[in-house]
Amino acid sequence: MPTPGPNPPDAASPTGGLRAGAVVRLENVHKAFGRLVVLAGVDVGFETGHTTVVLGPSGSGKSVLLKHVVGLLKPDRGSVYFENHRVDTLSERDLTPVRKQIGFVFQLSALFDSMTIRENLQFPLIEHTDLPQDELDARAEEALRMVDLEGVGAKRPAELSGGQQRRVAFARAIMLRPRVMLYDEPTTGLDPVRADGICQLIRKLQAELGVTGVCVTHDLASARKIADRVIMLGGGKIIADGAFDAVAASADPHVQNFLEGHYEPEEDPILLEKAAKRKRANA
């Protein structure tokens, strides 16, 4: 049985890194929306079997980075690789085999209210496979056992608690047996006990399924529990990279402001964009 990977080196690098054994790599990725630059030359690789937590203030590009991994966004410049095959240049049709190897847990679960839990889980299999109904049912039950929700297949999402719905989202994400799992704020809106349950589930999927995890979160307690490695985004670049404790010990004031919850107006992306607009208007 695979076990969670070892922590990366203790020293927190300010530059990120294309590490050996990376199943997903972003090389010199730039992304802007109009004049708003979100990613400004990101280089990072996510190692097989490890869980990487992506930290940074709102607007720093965390979710934009995730969307590049799964092909929902394409870089303005730079490249994205899945297992050494460049994927950012692929068509939507050619991206399908890659996406089938990536599970995505959305921030608010994104379950279909009109479907039962079993139907929610079976939906990706119906879309992408020709499995018979008995196999669909077996796979759904297997996924529910994995997330400790046996017996809820006939219920609808509204009949479950928020924490249970989040677990169903995890179960749906593993139905195609992905190699990579992307988590977008998986503990948002949950109390500390339910959030800890989600952290344990992330570690369980890593240990029992051997998945590579990339998790965007603002929850520092959860980040410490699940991260083999932490990267922090700031100013469109990776400003810290290493084990959680190494990043927490970084002397970079931007890192410390985030970790300590200290607001600096000159770091606010919204205010920076407003200032840039005023400067352009007065030019």
Side-chain angles (χ1 to χ4, degrees):
M1 177 186 300
T3 57
N7 280 337
D10 290 336
S13 163
T15 58
L18 298 175
R19 300 183 176 202
V23 63
V24 174
R25 303 195 322 273
L26 281 69
E27 296 187 358
N28 192 35
V29 167
H30 294 249
K31 187 64 181 179
F33 299 95
R35 294 181 180 270
L36 178 62
V37 176
V38 180
L39 301 179
V42 169
D43 289 296
V44 65
F46 300 108
E47 303 105 308
T48 301
H50 289 229
T51 296
T52 300
V53 169
V54 184
L55 297 177
S58 297
S60 61
K62 302 183 301 298
S63 293
V64 170
L65 185 150
L66 278 192
K67 290 176 181 178
H68 278 81
V69 172
V70 77
L72 294 176
L73 290 174
K74 295 184 182 294
D76 299 329
R77 182 153 50 99
S79 50
V80 181
Y81 294 85
F82 188 92
E83 286 201 320
N84 295 319
H85 299 288
R86 187 170 180 180
V87 296
D88 61 286
T89 56
L90 297 180
S91 66
E92 285 293 307
R93 179 176 179 178
D94 290 337
L95 266 173
T96 298
V98 175
R99 287 175 173 163
K100 288 167 67 174
Q101 299 181 68
I102 301 174
F104 203 136
V105 177
F106 296 93
Q107 183 173 342
L108 298 177
S109 300
L111 301 176
F112 297 110
D113 294 334
S114 60
M115 294 182 179
T116 65
I117 299 305
R118 184 177 297 108
E119 290 168 341
N120 266 280
L121 299 189
Q122 293 175 351
F123 182 78
L125 292 179
I126 292 171
E127 287 290 301
H128 296 293
T129 74
D130 296 318
L131 293 175
Q133 188 61 50
D134 59 345
E135 179 65 16
L136 293 176
D137 292 340
R139 292 276 287 270
E141 290 306 313
E142 177 188 8
L144 288 174
R145 282 194 299 273
M146 176 64 70
V147 301
D148 300 322
L149 283 179
E150 300 97 325
V152 305
K155 295 182 180 292
R156 296 185 185 274
E159 299 178 76
L160 303 182
S161 69
Q164 290 173 326
Q165 289 182 30
R166 201 68 53 87
R167 286 178 174 269
V168 172
F170 274 73
R172 183 178 60 186
I174 64 174
M175 286 295 286
L176 289 170
R177 297 174 177 168
R179 298 187 54 213
V180 176
M181 287 285 288
L182 308 180
Y183 310 102
D184 190 2
E185 298 286 359
T187 59
T188 293
L190 300 180
D191 65 69
V193 173
R194 300 307 184 273
D196 183 65
I198 293 299
C199 292
Q200 292 182 30
L201 180 54
I202 291 173
R203 279 301 198 186
K204 181 179 181 180
L205 297 183
Q206 181 184 10
E208 297 190 13
L209 302 182
V211 297
T212 301
V214 184
C215 178
V216 162
T217 185
H218 290 101
D219 183 347
L220 297 181
S222 295
R224 183 184 289 274
K225 292 174 182 177
I226 66 175
D228 296 313
R229 172 192 182 194
V230 170
I231 64 173
M232 184 173 292
L233 293 174
K237 297 181 180 293
I238 294 176
I239 59 174
D241 180 355
F244 187 96
D245 288 342
V247 170
S250 169
D252 188 314
H254 302 293
V255 175
Q256 290 304 316
N257 285 341
F258 177 81
L259 295 176
E260 296 171 7
H262 178 68
Y263 176 71
E264 287 287 350
E266 61 267 24
E267 296 178 10
D268 191 317
I270 295 176
L271 296 183
L272 289 173
E273 175 62 11
K274 287 182 177 179
K277 287 182 177 178
R278 288 196 299 269
K279 184 176 181 180
R280 291 193 295 268
N282 295 329

